[in-house]
Amino acid sequence: MTNIIFDIWIDFSDKRWLAYKDILIENHKKYAKLCGAEYKHYNIKHENKIDFKQLNFMKIYIAEDLAQIYDKVLYLDLDVIPKTKINFFEYHDFSKLLCHRTLAPLWKINIKRLMLESEGISSEHNVINTGVFGITKEVCNLIKFQKREKEINLEYSDEYAANNEIYLSYIVEKYKVPYTDIGPAWNFLVDKNYPKSDACHFLHMSTKEFNSVL
């Protein structure tokens, strides 16, 4: 059984990223080795004219492509820092989409709910955070993200902001895709209100204050 962990980088000018890029990549490499998984880093150049919004859609496209080759795929945002020796692939059941649903940001939740409720579908007050997610070929076949993204763009492009987390949450709820919420322990969003926790397996450093944990 072959598993893979991957991440994506784009050459932004934010020095908070640049100073720690190589360290963050090495951190993911080490965790992949601990899990007995392959690791792949995608370095997207500015000349490809990919912006941050498109980059976040790309990670789901790439996950779908990798799922055709590997048994299990784990995506980590580059600012996600594994702080555990527990093997994600062994710990979690990959028969369902593995993700963490959060109660923020409200604008994403509200847009997702508006989209679903306009179709008569009751919606949960949360949204998937795609900073960490696990997926397989079988789950990808249920989500059909790239196909359904096009359908969403046709239906809602004039009314709602395109966002990978809104779209994935919409698809999962509308088509009743089975998922497991891995909880904050596996995607703990560190910000000014929630400082890092030693009890968490993955720290998602939205503050980009990497010096506090590396």
Side-chain angles (χ1 to χ4, degrees):
M1 181 176 289
T2 308
N3 304 324
I4 189 167
I5 295 173
F6 80 98
D7 53 39
I8 301 178
W9 163 271
I10 191 167
D11 292 323
F12 292 119
S13 59
D14 191 331
K15 293 181 180 180
R16 294 179 302 171
W17 281 99
L18 292 173
Y20 288 94
K21 176 186 174 184
D22 292 340
I23 298 172
L24 294 168
I25 291 172
E26 188 61 30
N27 194 275
H28 284 185
K29 281 183 182 177
K30 288 180 179 178
Y31 185 67
K33 183 177 181 180
L34 181 149
C35 293
E38 293 186 22
Y39 169 76
K40 189 168 180 62
H41 172 72
Y42 292 83
N43 194 358
I44 310 299
K45 299 296 184 181
H46 265 315
E47 55 263 30
N48 293 327
K49 298 181 179 179
I50 301 295
D51 62 23
F52 188 70
K53 180 179 75 175
Q54 293 170 313
L55 186 76
N56 279 307
F57 277 94
M58 280 184 65
K59 63 189 181 187
I60 303 179
Y61 305 160
I62 293 170
E64 288 186 321
D65 291 342
L66 291 174
Q68 307 306 307
I69 303 168
Y70 295 90
D71 296 297
K72 300 175 182 177
V73 177
L74 172 61
Y75 171 77
L76 301 176
D77 273 356
L78 200 58
D79 61 351
V80 172
I81 301 175
K83 303 293 287 184
T84 183
K85 293 185 178 180
I86 297 175
N87 186 327
F88 187 95
F89 298 97
E90 293 178 352
Y91 187 86
H92 292 285
D93 177 6
F94 272 75
S95 66
K96 301 177 182 179
L97 171 66
L98 298 170
C99 59
H100 178 41
R101 302 180 73 106
T102 64
L103 299 176
L106 287 178
W107 70 270
K108 291 183 182 179
I109 295 170
N110 290 337
I111 291 174
K112 183 261 305 185
R113 294 187 69 180
L114 281 170
M115 291 167 66
L116 287 164
E117 290 171 9
S118 72
E119 299 178 29
I121 301 170
S122 178
S123 178
E124 301 174 28
H125 188 78
N126 54 43
V127 68
I128 294 171
N129 181 283
T130 58
V132 177
F133 64 88
I135 208 162
T136 63
K137 179 179 179 179
E138 291 72 24
V139 174
C140 286
N141 290 339
L142 295 175
I143 297 173
K144 301 177 184 177
F145 186 83
Q146 294 183 61
K147 173 181 179 292
R148 286 171 172 157
E149 178 203 347
K150 293 175 183 177
E151 295 171 356
I152 295 169
N153 284 336
L154 288 172
E155 182 71 21
Y156 293 107
S157 59
D158 293 334
E159 300 177 62
Y160 302 104
N163 176 273
N164 77 107
E165 295 181 336
I166 294 172
Y167 281 21
L168 183 58
S169 301
Y170 167 90
I171 291 168
V172 166
E173 291 187 38
K174 178 173 180 176
Y175 297 99
K176 301 186 186 315
V177 176
Y179 70 90
T180 297
D181 192 326
I182 58 176
W186 292 97
N187 187 357
F188 187 86
L189 288 157
V190 177
D191 59 27
K192 62 182 181 180
N193 296 316
Y194 296 95
K196 71 183 182 71
S197 170
D198 292 333
C200 295
H201 302 301
F202 292 168
L203 294 174
H204 192 166
M205 303 297 295
S206 61
T207 61
K208 308 299 182 285
E209 295 176 357
F210 302 114
N211 61 313
S212 65
V213 293
L214 291 174

